[in-house]
Amino acid sequence: MAQDFEALAPQIAFDDYLRVDIRTGTIVEAEPFPEARKPAIKMMIDFGPEIGVKKSSAQITVHYQPQDLVGRQVMAVVNFPPRQIGPIRSEVLTLGFHDEDGAVVLATPDKKVPNGRRLL
């Protein structure tokens, strides 16, 4: 079971927040990622013409199946350096929250917005 309360992170300056570039994108491909150490899904996410389609993997198999993710809009950090995760290079960090059991629930806008829009 996940912890009921997580301590607040230390205060940061507003300029620090602005350095994290969180954008919306639409999942255009999703497939199981059996090579990962923990169950995960590989995704290709379209962030619009300026950013393009980027690769990501996420440990989201408790609540999501690959075939149900295509067409879903998600939020991701697009300006972290790519990370090698097993045999794939993850280009963006797809965002989510732990539910009460510790499984990840994706962070999504509650209405459709154009791909590539930045979180305010």
Side-chain angles (χ1 to χ4, degrees), residues 11-74:
Q11 271 193 347
I12 61 171
F14 188 71
D15 286 343
D16 294 328
Y17 166 73
L18 291 176
R19 293 179 58 207
V20 180
D21 195 350
I22 300 171
R23 304 285 181 125
T24 58
T26 300
I27 300 171
V28 294
E29 292 178 34
E31 61 185 53
F33 186 13
E35 303 90 353
R37 279 184 272 149
K38 295 182 180 178
I41 296 174
K42 293 188 279 191
M43 300 171 286
M44 297 298 289
I45 306 170
D46 181 0
F47 291 96
E50 182 183 323
I51 299 168
V53 177
K54 300 291 182 183
K55 200 178 316 179
S56 184
S57 74
Q59 297 171 3
I60 56 174
T61 58
V62 171
H63 293 299
Y64 306 98
Q65 295 298 312
Q67 65 272 15
D68 300 327
L69 290 170
V70 174
R72 178 183 289 265
Q73 218 169 25
V74 294

Side-chain angles (χ1 to χ4, degrees), residues 52-109:
V53 177
K54 300 291 182 183
K55 200 178 316 179
S56 184
S57 74
Q59 297 171 3
I60 56 174
T61 58
V62 171
H63 293 299
Y64 306 98
Q65 295 298 312
Q67 65 272 15
D68 300 327
L69 290 170
V70 174
R72 178 183 289 265
Q73 218 169 25
V74 294
M75 297 165 48
V77 176
V78 298
N79 67 330
F80 285 153
R83 247 179 106 179
Q84 194 69 38
I85 301 176
I88 76 159
R89 193 165 171 90
S90 186
E91 300 173 293
V92 298
L93 176 65
T94 304
L95 300 175
F97 300 92
H98 285 122
D99 68 12
E100 60 190 20
D101 296 320
V104 177
V105 176
L106 290 169
T108 63

